[in-house]
Amino acid sequence: MNGLYDRESRSVSTLAHLRFFPQAVTGGKGCLLRGDDGRDLLDFAASWGAASLGHGHPALAESVNRALTDQAGASYLSTANEPCVLLAEKLLSIVPERAAGRVWFGHSGSDANETIARAVVAATGRKRILSFKGAYHGGTVGSVAISGHPAQGGIDKASGLSLVPYPDAYAAGSPEAASSAALAHLEELFATTVPPEEVAAFFIEPIQSDGGMLVPPPGYFREIQALCRKHGILLVCDEVKVGLGRTGRLHAFGHSDIEPDIIVFGKGLGGGLPISAAVGPEAIMNHASAFSFQTLHGNPVCAAAGLAVLDTIERENLVANAASVGDTMLTALRDLQAKHELIGNVRGHGLALGVELVSDRAARTPAIEQTALVVYRAFQLGLVIYYVGINSNVLEFTPPLTMSKDEALRGIAILDQALGDVEAGRLDPQLLERFAGW
Ligand SMILES: *Cc1c(COP(=O)(O)O)cnc(C)c1O
């Protein structure tokens, strides 16, 4: 037992682990990872979307290397540095005007959402926050406090937090039914226990990814936006997983035709390096100095990574690539749905796709064990996918934005085989013993 995975288990804590199968990699190029057993693994997860340009992209390596070689310090706390300023200028140029005030930089989606949750309350004097059941806004105390994902049960929520249902068109039977039930719930709250004039902000995910890759019904977020504007509530859009080209548009909120007040970026922004950004109006973002910082925030190396990512997305037309490869994948996944009883629903935009597995299509019963077995079998066959969802039964596809149609179809052929093997009962559920997932 001297493989990398087993050595890891003797040296590295499990506190941050979210494991689905014994994956250990020693390198990667493009959409491929190299397993420590020498196998090529086709990466449909991209480390939860963080490896937006795939692995080892030369533009990223070059930009980071340049920033490191002539290093303008290691932080923006007490000095300005050029990569940070350039990245802030770039981000301001790509967001809607109402959000284009100032940029805050952090390391992760978690610290960015936590900072915004504190800043909106401090700057508006309103103490309440709204977010969605099933929402994942991060893993730090302050970001868990405004999240609604069941994997974080037992951790305290913010005292001013109210969680509202995210419209789930598949569960509700139709987008219209999901939308009207969710809106009715919110209006009921506003009329009773949650006075809207006390609400500072509504944190939304434009697609609820960790909650199950839920795509909002048409028109739903327009209604939410209208309610927020009416009551002076800031609309905070968490684009951490599905933003920056992934959905086939630059911003995922573009599919809902809304303009958030504050936008949070993370994961893919750094292409694998830790950087997040929150962009919003000056009144919020300049509320106070020394309000929320960590020493290495705004370091020029990670900012240079962000610049290379945004530049490469433009130069290589990756938004259009995500749209067209995503369409190919969606069609291929719908073909699989016709063939595999396990697939209850296929959804998503661009390269943010979800496949919900059910053991009974009529009752939409979550196929929890089968989902875990399918991702395990896919890994054995050379494809990396993970699962999400409040019931742990949604396969998630967030591959590199650079993925080709050939690679996409190759991965789906593997998925086809994995689904067939699980449906035929060829996998031993004991394989899952060491892998709790979430
Ligand atoms: C992953 C994620 C976060 C947290 O980002 P980290 O980099 O893990 O801190 C926040 N929001 C959404 C929507 C995410 O998917």
Side-chain angles (χ1 to χ4, degrees), residues 48 107-113 135-140 143 147 204-207 209-210 238-242 264 266-267 275-276 396:
W48 299 98
H107 293 318
S108 67
S110 304
D111 65 8
N113 282 315
Y136 188 87
H137 294 301
T140 59
S143 55
S147 295
I204 68 164
E205 285 177 86
I207 290 179
S209 35
D210 290 328
D238 181 344
E239 294 264 324
V240 169
K241 193 190 272 182
V242 295
V264 179
K267 289 198 172 88
I275 183 166
S276 58
E396 183 182 80

Side-chain angles (χ1 to χ4, degrees), residues 13-327:
S13 157
T14 60
L15 289 176
H17 283 183
L18 181 52
R19 296 289 170 86
F20 303 91
F21 33 76
Q23 184 182 197
V25 297
T26 57
K29 193 162 182 50
C31 295
L32 293 178
L33 289 166
R34 186 176 61 251
D36 82 324
D37 52 4
R39 289 195 304 148
D40 275 342
L41 299 164
L42 189 51
D43 188 5
F44 271 24
S47 298
W48 299 98
S52 47
L53 304 183
H55 306 287
H57 195 291
L60 184 59
E62 201 269 329
S63 185
V64 165
N65 198 28
R66 193 157 16 94
L68 257 181
T69 303
D70 186 16
Q71 199 180 342
S75 167
Y76 81 151
L77 268 45
S78 305
T79 177
N81 71 70
E82 193 177 36
C84 246
V85 173
L86 287 170
L87 183 57
E89 290 169 348
K90 180 72 195 172
L91 288 168
L92 290 174
S93 78
I94 63 169
V95 300
E97 198 178 324
R98 64 185 297 121
R102 296 289 185 277
V103 183
W104 174 96
F105 289 113
H107 293 318
S108 67
S110 304
D111 65 8
N113 282 315
E114 176 165 335
T115 294
I116 293 304
R118 288 178 50 216
V120 293
V121 169
T124 64
R126 297 178 174 203
K127 61 182 192 304
R128 293 182 184 274
I129 286 178
L130 289 170
S131 69
F132 286 106
K133 292 179 184 165
Y136 188 87
H137 294 301
T140 59
V141 170
S143 55
V144 172
I146 54 153
S147 295
H149 198 283
Q152 300 175 322
I155 305 174
D156 286 346
K157 297 299 168 191
S159 57
L161 181 74
S162 298
L163 293 168
V164 300
Y166 198 97
D168 179 341
Y170 178 59
S174 77
E176 297 74 25
S179 185
S180 57
L183 287 167
H185 183 100
L186 182 60
E187 296 198 18
E188 164 77 14
L189 270 191
F190 280 168
T192 55
T193 53
V194 180
E197 66 279 7
E198 292 179 7
V199 178
F202 195 161
F203 280 71
I204 68 164
E205 285 177 86
I207 290 179
Q208 192 181 74
S209 35
D210 290 328
M213 216 39 122
L214 302 178
V215 176
Y220 171 74
F221 275 127
R222 293 277 300 176
E223 302 272 352
I224 293 293
Q225 173 173 274
L227 281 171
C228 285
R229 299 274 198 269
K230 177 174 161 198
H231 297 295
I233 297 169
L234 293 161
L235 190 58
V236 181
C237 188
D238 181 344
E239 294 264 324
V240 169
K241 193 190 272 182
V242 295
L244 296 178
R246 174 157 300 287
T247 63
R249 296 199 186 191
L250 184 57
H251 303 300
F253 62 73
H255 293 275
S256 290
D257 192 24
I258 55 169
E259 295 197 344
D261 299 283
I262 298 173
I263 304 163
V264 179
F265 299 106
K267 289 198 172 88
L269 174 62
L273 274 80
I275 183 166
S276 58
V279 190
E282 190 185 348
I284 308 294
M285 305 309 292
N286 280 353
H287 170 66
S289 60
F291 179 83
S292 173
F293 60 84
Q294 295 172 43
T295 307
L296 296 181
H297 277 174
N299 74 74
V301 179
C302 292
L307 278 169
V309 165
L310 295 179
D311 182 55
T312 304
I313 287 174
E314 281 180 12
R315 207 162 16 83
E316 297 187 3
N317 291 317
L318 296 182
V319 181
N321 189 64
S324 77
V325 177
D327 279 349

Side-chain angles (χ1 to χ4, degrees), residues 335-403:
D335 290 345
L336 284 194
Q337 183 177 15
K339 183 172 166 189
H340 295 283
E341 269 299 296
L342 257 183
I343 298 184
N345 190 237
V346 174
R347 53 189 176 245
H349 290 302
L351 295 176
L353 299 170
V355 173
E356 181 159 348
L357 301 188
V358 294
S359 53
D360 176 335
R361 279 191 178 177
R364 305 185 190 94
T365 315
I368 299 169
E369 184 177 89
Q370 292 95 322
T371 304
L373 288 171
V374 167
V375 302
Y376 198 104
R377 182 62 180 147
F379 168 70
Q380 290 181 324
L381 296 169
L383 175 70
V384 176
I385 38 170
Y386 307 135
Y387 60 79
V388 294
I390 57 168
N391 296 310
S392 304
N393 70 322
V394 180
L395 306 175
E396 183 182 80
F397 301 79
T398 54
L401 305 180
T402 52
M403 177 165 273

